[in-house]
Amino acid sequence: MTNRQLFLQHVAQTSPSPVGIEIVSAKGSYLYGVDGKKYLDLIGGISVCNIGHGHPAVVDAIKKQADEYLHVMVYGEVVQSPQVKYAELLAKHLPPNLDCVYFTNSGAEATEGALKLARRVTGRTDVISCNNGYHGNTLGALSVMGDEYWRNAFRPLLPGVWHYDYNSDALLNAINEQTSCVIIETIQGEAGVITPGIEWLQQLRKKCTDTGTLLIFDEIQCGFGRTGRLWGFEHYGVVPDIVLLGKALGGGMPMGAFIASHSMMQSLTNNPVLGHITTFGGHPLCCAAGMAGMKALLDESIIEGVAAKEQLFFSLLKHPAIKTIRSKGLLIAIELDTTEQVSQTLHRCLQKGLFSDWFLFAPQCIRFAPALTITMEEIQMACEILLDCL
């Protein structure tokens, strides 16, 4: 049997028709198939590979850490230098109230930890989230996901979760003294790149503060320079009580984190002890890779080039089939008339060596989330292919 046949037989499938291209290597903005075909990657592992595939600093950090030690003990029980140093680096580049990091294995796991923390700190159980919001697929994360199509098959879910439209007065009015937390994406990704109104986000912060409700920003997709700032919330002058990180956090390795104040995190240490625990969260190999990736992102001034690259996409992507383009940095949604048009266009793009995707809650939109290191020439090539396929 071929690898593709074995893949379909033995690897759990998530859709009836996976893309199924077999990748043998990846470098920079490119994927290389087993047949020798080269693909310009406009997904970046879904906002994971912000500094490109195979960055030398990340690869070197992984090799160095592998020579020293891998897993030694569950997270939080022994001092492991990669965890400590990465937590320190993250805290240095976050607001003062976000100074204590709990590393997890994924973004969804970070969501679970943050929901538990909010309940523990406030003593409340109600949660408010957004329609068309996405925070992962574990049961708690699924409960706050904003689409009944995905929720319904797995009910009953977490009780006391209320969904409202992003940017709506209804959400603001629903927050009260029974609400433990409001969890929202700083920029809604799977909804097709929906940005918040600055005034609305500031009102949300005030309402949470006035009612003792914790504000959780999900920066799993829009963090680490994706929007043109290190963190998406920096565009809006609003600081959350808890921030969720993932995807690019690990530099290409699996990793997530929820980050809050030290005093809040202490609530997980007692009544009960081990209030939240993970075996592999904060794995030293992942922390070493993630820290190397974040340092490269900062030291190589990669974020500073995002705005110009975003504008180049806008200037080139002009076609009668494109209804609108929404973006925040290099998170871009290209809206067509129908889902079928998107499907056909993505298939044609793949045949021509351009690898792209769509959005869960906006299937009529093509997703562009390339490595932030993509060059101007590669952007021009990507746009030429897309326009040709359209």
Side-chain angles (χ1 to χ4, degrees):
M1 295 177 72
T2 66
N3 269 359
R4 178 180 171 83
Q5 290 169 324
L6 290 168
F7 165 76
L8 294 170
Q9 180 69 31
H10 296 298
V11 178
Q13 302 297 300
T14 57
S15 74
S17 53
V19 175
I21 57 173
E22 186 176 347
I23 301 302
V24 294
S25 65
K27 193 72 175 176
S29 290
Y30 292 94
L31 308 174
Y32 298 88
V34 68
D35 58 356
K37 190 168 183 177
K38 178 180 177 181
Y39 300 90
L40 180 55
D41 183 8
L42 268 291
I43 303 173
I46 307 188
S47 298
V48 168
C49 306
N50 283 16
I51 58 170
H53 297 282
H55 192 288
V58 174
V59 174
D60 288 347
I62 291 171
K63 291 177 178 177
K64 181 175 182 295
Q65 185 58 44
D67 284 339
E68 294 174 356
Y69 59 88
L70 298 179
H71 177 74
V72 294
M73 181 57 175
V74 295
Y75 172 78
E77 289 301 308
V78 299
V79 179
Q80 300 180 61
S81 181
Q83 292 176 353
V84 174
K85 289 180 178 178
Y86 197 16
E88 180 188 31
L89 180 64
L90 287 164
K92 180 181 177 182
H93 291 278
L94 283 162
N97 68 306
L98 300 172
D99 64 348
C100 194
V101 182
Y102 195 115
F103 289 116
T104 64
N105 298 285
S106 67
E109 198 178 299
T111 299
E112 299 286 345
L115 292 173
K116 286 176 66 177
L117 181 63
R119 281 184 161 201
R120 185 71 177 84
V121 169
T122 64
R124 307 171 186 176
T125 58
D126 281 9
V127 176
I128 289 175
S129 61
C130 285
N131 293 321
N132 292 334
Y134 182 83
H135 306 283
N137 260 284
T138 47
L139 280 176
L142 185 62
S143 300
V144 296
M145 182 193 286
D147 193 293
E148 185 59 22
Y149 171 79
W150 274 273
R151 295 193 305 257
N152 187 57
F154 303 99
R155 289 190 176 280
L157 297 172
L158 197 66
V161 178
W162 312 99
H163 297 86
Y164 298 91
D165 287 345
Y166 196 71
N167 276 323
S168 73
D169 289 339
L171 187 149
L172 300 177
N173 294 334
I175 303 168
N176 56 42
E177 283 71 15
Q178 281 72 53
T179 312
S180 67
C181 63
V182 175
I183 177 169
I184 68 166
E185 295 164 274
T186 313
I187 288 93
Q188 281 198 314
E190 295 304 325
V193 191
I194 306 299
T195 57
I198 295 177
E199 184 178 348
W200 180 80
L201 207 60
Q202 291 173 346
Q203 289 175 341
L204 173 60
R205 173 68 276 179
K206 184 177 187 304
K207 187 67 180 290
C208 286
T209 301
D210 291 346
T211 58
T213 300
L214 298 185
L215 179 57
I216 303 173
F217 280 172
D218 180 340
E219 292 259 340
I220 293 167
Q221 187 165 188
C222 67
F224 289 94
R226 175 60 51 188
T227 67
R229 298 279 186 92
L230 184 56
W231 314 117
F233 61 77
E234 292 180 310
H235 293 279
Y236 305 104
V238 175
V239 176
D241 299 296
I242 305 173
V243 66
L244 310 183
L245 302 180
K247 296 193 180 293
L249 174 69
M253 295 291 284
M255 200 174 192
F258 60 101
I259 304 176
S261 68
H262 184 269
S263 59
M264 278 204 287
M265 284 294 194
Q266 287 297 105
S267 68
L268 297 177
T269 68
N270 58 86
N271 298 319
V273 66
L274 306 180
H276 195 65
I277 195 66
T278 171
T279 298
F280 290 113
H283 191 283
L285 205 65
C286 299
C287 285
M291 182 166 61
M294 183 173 178
K295 284 182 176 179
L297 185 70
L298 298 170
D299 294 346
E300 297 173 20
S301 302
I302 293 170
I303 301 173
E304 285 78 352
V306 168
K309 293 173 182 180
E310 176 187 15
Q311 287 306 309
L312 183 58
F313 272 114
F314 261 87
S315 67
L316 295 174
L317 289 176
K318 299 186 184 302
H319 190 281
I322 297 175
K323 292 180 65 177
T324 188
I325 301 175
R326 293 185 298 276
S327 70
K328 196 67 176 176
L330 288 178
L331 183 59
I332 303 170
I334 303 156
E335 186 170 355
L336 307 183
D337 275 323
T338 67
T339 301
E340 182 61 26
Q341 276 184 311
V342 169
S343 177
Q344 291 177 359
T345 303
L346 290 176
H347 179 70
R348 291 175 183 173
C349 285
L350 194 64
Q351 291 177 321
K352 292 180 177 290
L354 184 69
F355 187 43
S356 188
D357 199 7
W358 48 281
F359 296 88
L360 279 182
F361 310 138
Q364 77 283 7
C365 296
I366 292 172
R367 180 203 303 263
F368 277 5
L372 308 185
T373 53
I374 190 172
T375 66
M376 295 299 198
E377 292 76 18
E378 288 165 346
I379 291 173
Q380 186 162 346
M381 184 194 314
C383 293
E384 287 173 358
I385 293 173
L386 177 63
L387 295 174
D388 182 52
C389 292
L390 285 173

